[in-house]
């Protein structure tokens, strides 16, 4: 029987509205350089009441690791659902469109299926702090709307920031207790912009949204309002002890992320750095809280999947290291919280997972068509039942040597331009790392007895059987990280990208990363 045209159109409209109403929204929140120093992960000092509340509303992944502990490679991997060896993005200031131009990014997949996709702040790589206020190394295809506010931390405060390398803030330990309120800072402005976008989305509930919000803190420079510093008295900040003894059993590439200027660190400076890093976390948590409150206020919380994660972890002196780019737990591990429809409230998942798993997870949860070549696993079964084991391992990689050479900069001393790869396999119990297929060193840590990874068990006779198994597993897994032709995609010569920068109002030299 044929329906009269107007009736058919009405039925179609009702059905499509019903479908739209059942498709969940996504609020995808990233913090930059955030390690697992959060209340909900059991940190004894750091206060993160808003993220703790989010954790209670969903599943907390205890053993989530990034695929490459550096902003650009990690974010390109996460947002394409491919390992860095398949994106070809192994350093910053590069974008997957240079290597695999036809890949479909995670937000792009949502857009193709009718979602409204918006970005606020850092999702792809940015030079922090200089690119703040611009699109950074963005992928325009990924978003319908982009917002790039710049606050006092970017526009006014550079001359006041303390840095181990004066004038350099991005790649160097640097901090500042700002006299200006949260609302004047970039992350505060971003939270406000997110509220504004959510208000617009709440008025058009028939169209689901994918809102990506990338906070810049706690990335260096650790700038946040003074009031947050008060929660972390300098004298009470921890300083890692026993570094020399710990380093004695480590191969050189394990410590390859050490920076010369860190020789200047005294215990007083170490305490100040930790204080400022923790303060920046609490500041970021408060901004995230404003956005989560807006979600509640606008009646969007029930039908919105909320993700909170970071692009990699962060060292605060463990093994004598600071910042990122190591394959130790502190640098490879990330916080990962997923709440909303499809996620068990208050769940804790212990099995290892990766940022590479977010693409297949979110597309499945939302019924969005995903590309066929994704390399991660869907976490949907773990979100329903956090005891599900899933893949049971996660792989992280870094590059030493030539891969670190930055555009226009000469290679570091002793760098012969050859790239050396390091891979770390994290299972439920172990972390097993090989540098240059073991030729440049191996590490094995048993997290059951050594959660701080202080005792390298590699090549100890009593571990031979365990190590052989892990090595075989690692080699097999690494093979699966390449594209079908087995080669890491290269950027064509001359196809370089320069990060946009706002004109520096001080006309001074600000730090690059
Ligand atoms: Ca980062
Ligand atoms: Ca050690």
């Amino acid at each position: 029987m044929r329906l009269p045209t107007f009736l058919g159109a009405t039925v179609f409209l009702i059905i499509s509205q019903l479908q739209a109403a059942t498709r969940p929204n996504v609020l995808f929140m990233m913090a930059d350089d955030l390690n697992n120093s959060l209340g909900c992960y059991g940190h004894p000092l750091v206060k993160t009441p808003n993220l703790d509340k989010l954790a209670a509303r969903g599943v907390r992944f205890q053993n989530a690791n990034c695929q490459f502990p550096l902003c650009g490679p990690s974010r390109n991997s996460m947002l394409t659902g491919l390992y860095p060896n398949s994106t070809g993005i192994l350093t910053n200031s590069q974008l997957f469109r240079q290597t695999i131009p036809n890949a479909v990014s995670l937000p792009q997949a949502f857009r193709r299926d009718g979602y409204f996709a918006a970005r606020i702040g850092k999702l792809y790589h940015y030079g922090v702090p200089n690119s703040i206020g611009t699109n950074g190394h963005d992928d325009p295809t990924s978003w319908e709307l982009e917002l790039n506010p710049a606050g006092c931390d970017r526009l006014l405060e550079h001359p006041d920031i303390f840095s181990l390398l004066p004038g350099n803030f991005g790649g160097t330990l640097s901090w500042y207790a700002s006299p200006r309120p949260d609302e004047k800072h970039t992350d505060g402005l971003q939270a406000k912009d997110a509220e504004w976008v959510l208000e617009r989305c709440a008025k058009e509930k028939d169209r689901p949204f994918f809102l990506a919000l990338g906070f810049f803190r706690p990335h260096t420079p650790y700038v946040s309002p003074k009031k947050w510093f008060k929660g972390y008295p300098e004298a009470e900040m921890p300083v890692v002890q026993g570094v020399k003894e710990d380093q004695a059993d480590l191969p050189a590439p394990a410590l390859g992320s050490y920076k010369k200027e860190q020789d200047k660190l005294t215990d007083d400076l170490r305490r100040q750095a930790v204080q400022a890093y923790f303060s920046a976390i609490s500041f970021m948590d408060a901004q995230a809280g404003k956005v989560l409150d807006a979600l509640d206020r606008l009646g969007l919380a029930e039908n919105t999947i909320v993700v909170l994660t970071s692009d990699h972890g962060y060292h605060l002196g463990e093994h004598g290291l600071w910042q990122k780019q190591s394959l130790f737990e502190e640098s490879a591990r990330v916080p990962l919280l997923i709440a909303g429809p499809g996620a068990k409230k208050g769940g804790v998942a212990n099995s290892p997972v990766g940022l590479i798993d977010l693409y297949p997870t979110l597309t499945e949860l939302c019924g969005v068509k995903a590309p066929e070549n994704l390399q991660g696993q869907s976490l949907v079964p773990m979100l329903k039942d956090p005891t599900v084991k899933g893949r049971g391992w996660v792989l992280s990689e870094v590059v030493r040597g030539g891969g670190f050479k930055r555009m226009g900069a000469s290679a570091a001393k002793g760098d012969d331009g050859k790239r050396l790869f390091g891979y770390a396999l994290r299972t439920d119990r172990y972390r097993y790392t090989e540098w240059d297929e073991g030729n440049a060193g191996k590490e094995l840590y048993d997290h059951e007895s050594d959660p701080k990874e202080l005792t390298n068990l590699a090549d100890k006779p009593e571990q031979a059987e365990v190590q052989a198994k892990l090595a075989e597993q690692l080699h097999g897994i690494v093979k699966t990280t390449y594209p079908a032709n087995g080669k890491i995609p290269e950027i064509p010569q001359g196809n370089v990208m320069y990060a946009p920068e706002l004109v520096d109002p001080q006309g001074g030299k600000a730090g690059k990363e």
Side-chain angles (χ1 to χ4, degrees), residues 69 254 257 315 321 324-329 331-332 398 400 435:
S257 57
H315 280 291
L321 298 175
K324 48 219 177 189
Q325 301 185 48
S326 93
L327 286 178
F328 289 111
E329 184 88 346
S331 159
V398 288
R400 300 283 187 242
W435 299 96

Side-chain angles (χ1 to χ4, degrees), residues 21-353:
T22 57
R23 300 180 89 187
N25 308 301
V26 178
L27 171 62
F28 191 95
M29 292 198 293
M30 301 268 310
D32 199 0
D33 287 21
L34 173 67
N35 64 18
N36 285 65
S37 302
L38 302 175
C40 56
Y41 280 95
H43 196 281
L45 297 173
V46 179
K47 295 169 232 9
T48 50
N50 296 287
L51 297 182
D52 299 351
K53 208 162 86 183
L54 175 64
R57 277 164 58 167
V59 174
R60 182 179 87 228
F61 289 86
Q62 272 303 103
N63 201 352
N65 281 228
C66 69
Q67 274 49 76
F68 197 124
L70 180 65
C71 303
S74 175
R75 288 162 185 261
N76 276 276
S77 165
M78 178 183 74
L79 292 168
T80 57
L82 302 172
Y83 282 102
N85 289 350
S86 286
T87 65
I89 305 305
L90 304 175
T91 185
N92 283 334
S93 306
Q94 301 177 343
L95 185 71
F96 71 93
R97 295 288 174 209
Q98 297 168 285
T99 46
I100 45 169
N102 297 324
V104 176
S105 76
L106 169 64
Q108 187 184 3
F110 276 81
R111 287 190 76 185
R112 289 200 313 190
D113 258 15
Y115 272 65
F116 167 68
R119 171 186 64 73
I120 303 171
K122 181 168 174 176
L123 263 295
Y124 294 96
H125 176 251
Y126 268 69
V128 178
N130 280 14
S131 297
I132 290 175
T134 76
N135 280 321
H137 291 104
D138 196 26
D139 173 47
T141 318
S142 293
W143 323 104
E144 188 170 326
L145 174 75
E146 302 96 12
L147 293 169
N148 305 303
C152 59
D153 48 303
R154 173 67 188 94
L155 298 175
L156 298 173
E157 297 178 341
H158 280 198
D160 304 314
I161 296 170
F162 169 84
S163 173
L164 286 185
L165 279 180
N168 286 273
F169 312 127
T172 312
L173 292 185
S174 50
W175 55 87
Y176 179 55
S178 165
R180 297 174 181 85
D182 289 12
E183 297 72 30
K184 299 278 185 196
H185 288 254
T186 303
D187 282 353
L189 294 169
Q190 293 199 152
K192 202 158 184 214
D193 279 352
E195 280 190 65
W196 177 73
V197 172
L198 291 174
E199 279 162 13
R200 171 223 180 269
C201 292
K203 286 186 197 140
E204 295 180 35
K205 284 201 172 113
D206 56 334
R207 190 176 177 207
F209 65 82
F210 183 103
L211 173 58
L213 171 56
F215 292 117
F216 288 94
R217 295 284 97 83
H219 195 292
T220 46
Y222 318 131
V223 178
S224 70
K226 263 184 190 152
K227 68 170 178 184
W228 298 108
F229 282 65
K230 291 200 185 101
Y232 304 99
E234 190 187 322
E236 292 171 26
M237 295 299 105
V239 173
V240 175
Q241 305 294 332
V243 165
K244 216 175 151 201
E245 298 83 343
D246 171 21
Q247 289 185 341
D249 60 5
L250 292 176
L255 300 169
S257 57
Y258 184 81
K259 293 176 177 172
K260 181 79 185 133
E261 73 266 16
Q262 292 161 9
D263 286 348
K264 294 182 195 170
L265 284 171
T266 59
D267 278 359
D268 280 346
L269 286 173
R270 290 185 179 99
R271 277 187 280 268
Q272 286 172 31
V274 171
Q275 176 192 40
Y277 182 76
F278 288 170
S279 307
I281 293 177
S282 285
F283 162 64
M284 180 278 298
D285 172 82
Q287 310 322 304
K290 289 179 194 167
V291 182
L292 294 170
D293 287 349
L295 216 55
D296 285 335
R297 172 169 62 80
L298 296 164
L300 292 167
E302 206 164 296
N303 198 34
T304 300
I305 296 156
V306 181
V307 179
L308 180 285
T309 190
S310 169
D311 50 359
H312 46 76
Y314 209 75
H315 280 291
L316 296 170
E318 305 85 8
H319 316 290
L321 298 175
W322 291 82
Q323 305 178 284
K324 48 219 177 189
Q325 301 185 48
S326 93
L327 286 178
F328 289 111
E329 184 88 346
E330 291 86 359
S331 159
R333 186 177 175 221
V334 290
L336 177 61
L337 310 174
I338 303 180
K344 189 182 162 120
K345 280 197 173 90
V348 178
N350 290 309
S351 197
V353 301

Side-chain angles (χ1 to χ4, degrees), residues 425 427 429-434 443-448 457-474:
L425 178 70
T427 64
R429 179 166 174 183
Y430 296 100
R431 175 176 298 275
Y432 176 63
T433 305
E434 283 191 2
E443 296 164 73
L444 172 61
Y445 303 104
D446 182 349
H447 274 260
E448 230 165 60
L457 300 171
D459 297 331
K460 296 262 186 292
E462 63 274 19
Q463 297 292 334
E465 205 178 316
V466 168
Q467 186 174 334
K469 262 194 201 152
L470 287 166
E472 193 189 344
Q473 196 183 359
L474 174 73

